[in-house]
Amino acid sequence: MSLTVVGSIAFDSVRTPFGERERMLGGSAVHFSLAASFFTEVRVVGPVGDDFGAEQLGVLEKRGVGTADVERVPGGETFFWRGHYDFDLNTAHTDETRLNVFGAFEPKLSKESRGAETVFLANIQPDLQRRVRAQCDSARFVGLDSMNLWIETARPALEAVVADVDCLMINDAEIRQLTDEPNLARAARTVMELGPRAVVAKQGEYGAALFTRSGFFALPGFPLEDVRDPTGAGDSFAGGFLGYLDADGGDLGDAALRKAMGYGTVLASFNVEEFGTERVVRLRREEIDERLAQLHAMTKF
Amino acid sequence: MSLTVVGSIAFDSVRTPFGERERMLGGSAVHFSLAASFFTEVRVVGPVGDDFGAEQLGVLEKRGVGTADVERVPGGETFFWRGHYDFDLNTAHTDETRLNVFGAFEPKLSKESRGAETVFLANIQPDLQRRVRAQCDSARFVGLDSMNLWIETARPALEAVVADVDCLMINDAEIRQLTDEPNLARAARTVMELGPRAVVAKQGEYGAALFTRSGFFALPGFPLEDVRDPTGAGDSFAGGFLGYLDADGGDLGDAALRKAMGYGTVLASFNVEEFGTERVVRLRREEIDERLAQLHAMTKF
């Protein structure tokens, strides 16, 4: 089995009450693929500029992530994001965004990337997501992220790609906004009527909820006394979720989706313990399974 | 076993996007005692005015709630609250509060009320809570609610009563505010260092989290497509939680507290389905157990 992610590769400058870092390796495709790399073979598709060097590529390759479809744009600069968080770590404040090479990005998937059984369309312009989706016709399971910007500026394109994926994975407020439905359970049902058979509502520190046609499931965020940088938590969640599902290779039924929610929760929790990718790059599989067992024990009654 | 609650008895006028009601029976002690009445013998302590009649008392008595300590204040009027909710049902907007007889309330507990094994100090001025706590010296388990108003205006008294109860049950934002600690897990630990052996963080539609010295547990809110009026959800939660614990009569260990969280979640979910006490007054015990079984299935992985 294999997994392809299309999304941003970035340099992030982040400040939180617990410290700050300049130009860390970041971006949705990076956080996702590092998290998913603990479960399955991952290929990452996204553009970088001349400022993206062997050191950054090496972080991905060391975790076995396929980088053949990382597109180098000569003379370009890599996507850059600067932001900060106050004590409410659920809210990111953007201070600067430079799209750079991402502005003219047109995803080009190799035959290997197109052939993936599992695909994650990270948060990029919905028309691009649609064109990627159309190329991945052998995918068994496609996950989709998006954001309020696209709901507000590209709703028809977003609705079109939502209709063509298996699982929408966005913030709960955005599910409400997308469907104009204030009740989350109704909003999730409305999304499923468009096409997806599963909806993951990301809820920040409160965890995540899973809606399928046959039921509801929810997990709290893993309780941590030290959260230093929430950047990439949602993509790490998606990486654990889809990485596990791809490796499982089973019927993709509710039991598998619930276990995938567990792995998503665990990967997100490691991601936020330190800045950027610092924690995940030195994570070991045994630590993941240990924390999953703890999460299991924490939700039993 | 028996359970005493001290708190407000009120008339509530409430408007939500789903309707409105004038002068419904409400108040923390009312919502709590109706919820707890499905599990154990409940006595309610609180003041009412001349406008509180046999009809209102009858709602409590029909559910077997002991009303001998409901104090009638001749010439007085019952506590009145008017508020509304927009589509974000997590946030109550207060339009009018008339303390009325509640302004000069000094709780007087009968011997029966003082002898309860379980006590709930609903959200009233912390010095009153302390004086009630001091009278209930045979209690095995005391729960405490409070709010931002008392953290801001009566912090020393609040800290003193917190130190003398078994379980603090407040909103997660208030746990952070009380401890000046933005991280919830640390904030809960700080509360437990003051005295309580359990902290329940209420999280609105996201559910509730339980911190004890030996562990963490969380439950999502029960997913409902129809939420009409969230007033009293927290008190109904507390009623299910403490009502179950009182009836259980066991070691009050983590397993019992987790099951109590389940009953709290279920009672809160019924409470919010309709306005005021409308749903809970016609609730049947079988419906409670059925929903608990559903909640159990929704959290298994």
Side-chain angles (χ1 to χ4, degrees), chain A residues 221-263:
Chain A
F222 193 89
L224 296 169
E225 294 212 354
D226 290 296
V227 176
R228 289 198 180 82
D229 172 17
T231 310
D235 294 302
S236 301
F237 183 99
F241 183 88
L242 291 176
Y244 169 76
L245 281 183
D246 186 69
D248 180 57
D251 66 356
L252 300 165
D254 275 15
L257 292 171
R258 287 176 175 210
K259 197 156 179 200
M261 290 278 290
Y263 279 113

Side-chain angles (χ1 to χ4, degrees), chain B residues 194-208:
Chain B
L194 291 174
R197 61 190 190 77
V199 176
V200 173
K202 297 186 286 186
Q203 303 172 321
E205 69 169 296
Y206 297 114

Side-chain angles (χ1 to χ4, degrees), chain A residues 18 29 38 52 81 109 138 201 264 267 285:
Chain A
F18 311 103
F38 291 93
F52 199 88
W81 181 75
L109 276 66
S138 56
L267 267 295
R285 177 62 198 249

Side-chain angles (χ1 to χ4, degrees), chain B residues 253-295:
Chain B
D254 274 15
L257 291 171
R258 287 177 174 209
K259 198 158 178 195
M261 290 279 289
Y263 280 112
T265 300
V266 165
L267 268 294
S269 76
F270 281 114
N271 178 81
V272 303
E273 283 185 336
E274 299 182 21
F275 279 80
T277 62
E278 289 170 8
R279 181 66 182 94
V280 174
V281 294
R282 61 163 211 282
L283 188 59
R284 290 174 295 107
R285 177 62 199 246
E286 309 86 83
E287 294 176 302
I288 295 172
D289 290 316
E290 195 182 317
R291 191 165 282 187
L292 186 76
Q294 289 172 349
L295 183 65

